[in-house]
């Protein structure tokens, strides 16, 4: 499989991204310990971008039946076909088994894009959140905006608050929303640049649903850091991420109404940033309980590979051959 891709690539004459050895060595140590033999197959996918796959999330605000026909002709099929607990008919996402990326659409002022290219696993936190019409929703770390766009494909929140603390990423978020969401609806979206760790104190018990798609050590992009110094610095700062993630979740819990639910997600395999953070929350916050999301994993097991042995309130998508989605960690909690 990988050999045929390499040969195909040579004929196309494309240049491959360079792997950052410092990061790979670090991952090698950590993930061999955490994932055992599984790491070898995951590493083969992560270090070989030519076998990565991209999903096509259709924009219901700019619908095109012609686009769906084109996708089917090119071998794409609907991504989520299993009996999921929550799957709005308005959420349409297409994937195919073979690698490659559908051509991206350029940003044009005043014109909505028809689709958003993304890692299909990044829709799992949105499906776990189960947003319903009229609910007040907070996307705490919203940039670049793919999950915000996906939430709006699923339902029409009463109030939708998209927050991004980082200045550059906040501009990116605004552009994404402008590219996918029509004007009357944009006016109902509040975009802010608040420190996510303080939102719970600023807006206590205001939301029915909160998504914490936290800043994390992004395994895919870190492996291809072109700047060795930056990569080394990232690996040093990596140890501090779990503390930030813990504080963001604590803040999100304060922002939730009793009975409301929170989904935490990252795009790393790191146990310290995933289950360790959630376990710490469950052990220190008596106001939240874990929510079983194992039905989601069962329903999409045809298309996604999951790490075995996770608890019922969490799942971890592992990149695999022909299903190069993830890494994506998802956990769900409810406020009592």
């Amino acid at each position: 499989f990988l050999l045929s891709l390499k040969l195909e690539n040579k004929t196309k004459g494309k240049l491959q991204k360079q792997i950052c050895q410092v990061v790979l060595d670090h991952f090698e140590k950590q993930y061999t310990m955490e994932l055992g033999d599984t790491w070898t197959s995951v590493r083969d996918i992560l270090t070989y971008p030519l076998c990565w796959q991209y999903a096509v999330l259709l924009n219901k605000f700019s619908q095109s039946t012609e686009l769906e026909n084109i996708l089917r002709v090119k071998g794409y099929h609907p991504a989520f076909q299993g009996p999921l607990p929550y799957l709005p008919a308005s959420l349409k996402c297409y994937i195919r088994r073979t690698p490659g990326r559908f051509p991206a659409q350029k940003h044009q002022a005043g014109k909505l894009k028809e689709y958003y290219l993304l890692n299909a696993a990044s829709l799992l936190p949105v499906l776990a959140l189960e947003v319903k019409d009229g609910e007040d929703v907070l996307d705490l770390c919203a940039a670049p905006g793919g999950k915000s766009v996906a939430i709006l494909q699923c339902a029409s929140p009463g109030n939708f608050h998209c927050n991004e603390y980082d200045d550059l990423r906040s501009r990116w978020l605004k552009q994404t929303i402008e590219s996918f969401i029509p004007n009357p609806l944009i006016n109902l979206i509040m975009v802010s640049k608040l420190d996510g760790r303080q939102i719970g104190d600023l807006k206590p018990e205001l939301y029915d649903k909160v998504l914490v798609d936290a800043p994390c050590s992004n395994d895919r992009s870190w492996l291809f850091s072109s700047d060795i110094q930056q990569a080394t610095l990232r690996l040093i700062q990596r140890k501090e991420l779990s503390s930030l993630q813990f504080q963001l979740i604590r803040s999100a819990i304060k922002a939730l109404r009793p009975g409301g639910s929170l989904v935490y997600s990252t795009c790393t395999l790191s146990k310290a940033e995933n289950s360790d953070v959630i376990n710490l929350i469950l052990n220190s916050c008596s106001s939240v309980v874990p929510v079983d999301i194992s039905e989601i994993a069962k329903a999409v097991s045809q298309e996604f590979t999951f790490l075995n042995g996770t608890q019922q309130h969490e799942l971890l998508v592992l990149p695999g051959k022909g299903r190069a989605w993830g890494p994506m960690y998802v956990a769900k909690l409810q406020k009592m």
Side-chain angles (χ1 to χ4, degrees):
F1 171 77
L2 291 176
L3 184 66
S4 65
L5 280 173
K6 281 175 184 166
L7 291 170
E8 185 188 325
N9 179 50
K10 276 185 180 167
T11 59
K12 286 181 184 169
K14 283 184 183 171
L15 287 171
Q16 234 194 295
K17 295 178 181 178
Q18 285 297 303
I19 288 167
C20 181
Q21 198 58 46
V22 179
V23 177
L24 183 58
D25 291 346
H26 181 89
F27 283 3
E28 199 73 57
K29 272 188 209 151
Q30 182 183 344
Y31 294 148
T32 302
M33 204 165 63
E34 290 179 12
L35 301 171
D37 295 343
T38 312
W39 165 241
T40 311
S41 55
V42 170
R43 182 192 58 209
D44 286 351
I45 303 296
L46 288 181
T47 55
Y48 197 66
L50 292 170
C51 67
W52 294 2
Q53 292 156 273
Y54 294 86
V56 183
L57 174 67
L58 303 196
N59 186 10
K60 73 175 183 185
F61 304 110
S62 172
Q63 267 179 338
S64 156
T65 42
E66 187 192 1
L67 174 60
E68 287 195 64
N69 293 335
I70 291 165
L71 286 166
R72 287 179 191 277
V73 167
K74 289 186 176 291
Y76 285 82
H77 61 271
F80 304 103
Q81 299 182 79
L84 278 149
Y86 170 87
L87 183 63
S90 53
L91 181 79
K92 289 185 176 178
C93 177
Y94 280 81
I95 59 174
R96 65 176 182 182
R97 281 292 167 107
T98 48
R101 188 199 284 246
F102 201 68
Q105 288 182 312
K106 285 195 170 69
H107 176 71
Q108 288 177 275
K111 191 167 188 253
L112 293 183
K113 291 186 181 183
E114 291 182 326
Y115 56 88
Y116 187 95
L117 300 178
L118 77 175
N119 186 322
S122 63
L123 291 176
L124 296 177
V126 174
L127 293 174
L129 198 61
E130 300 190 17
V131 175
K132 295 176 181 66
D133 290 348
E135 287 183 327
D136 297 325
V137 181
L138 167 64
D139 189 349
L140 191 69
C141 318
K147 292 181 182 71
S148 299
V149 166
I151 286 168
L152 290 166
Q153 302 304 312
C154 293
S156 305
N159 293 305
F160 191 25
H161 180 179
C162 298
N163 182 67
E164 179 52 56
Y165 185 49
D166 182 88
D167 197 49
L168 186 70
R169 287 172 64 81
S170 182
R171 289 204 293 274
W172 191 4
L173 169 67
K174 279 182 181 163
Q175 190 181 48
T176 302
I177 290 170
E178 281 166 20
S179 295
F180 288 91
I181 311 303
N183 242 329
L185 200 58
I186 283 185
N187 302 334
L188 302 175
I189 302 168
M190 177 182 151
V191 179
S192 67
K193 287 198 294 183
L194 300 166
D195 184 335
R197 294 168 292 188
Q198 293 166 6
I199 280 184
D201 291 322
L202 296 169
K203 298 179 180 294
E205 301 197 348
L206 236 149
Y207 303 99
D208 301 297
K209 302 277 164 76
V210 180
L211 175 63
V212 184
D213 185 43
C216 67
S217 49
N218 185 323
D219 294 352
R220 281 190 189 231
S221 64
W222 281 26
L223 272 168
F224 296 95
S225 307
S226 50
D227 184 332
I228 302 256
Q229 279 181 304
Q230 185 201 35
T232 311
L233 185 64
R234 275 174 168 174
L235 292 173
I236 293 165
Q237 292 171 336
R238 192 178 200 206
K239 297 184 183 85
E240 294 158 27
L241 280 169
S242 55
S243 169
L244 169 65
Q245 291 153 348
F246 177 79
Q247 291 172 64
L248 288 170
I249 300 172
R250 283 291 295 260
S251 174
I253 292 166
K254 286 181 186 174
L256 265 182
R257 292 182 179 129
S261 49
L262 172 157
V263 167
Y264 172 71
S265 60
T266 73
C267 50
T268 179
L269 298 161
S270 176
K271 188 172 167 286
E273 296 174 54
N274 294 339
S275 49
D276 286 359
V277 173
I278 292 298
N279 288 338
L280 193 58
I281 286 286
L282 289 170
N283 291 330
S284 61
C285 300
S286 55
S287 61
V288 288
V289 292
V291 178
D292 187 347
I293 54 170
S294 56
E295 287 303 312
I296 294 178
K298 274 186 216 153
V300 297
S301 60
Q302 289 294 102
E303 301 289 1
F304 296 88
T305 305
F306 295 95
L307 178 69
N308 291 324
T310 54
Q311 297 179 81
Q312 288 186 317
H313 59 270
E314 58 179 359
L315 49 90
L316 177 61
V317 180
L318 302 173
K321 283 180 188 172
R323 331 175 188 196
W325 313 114
M328 180 59 58
Y329 176 79
V330 186
K332 186 170 184 177
L333 308 171
Q334 185 175 27
K335 186 169 181 177
M336 301 307 286

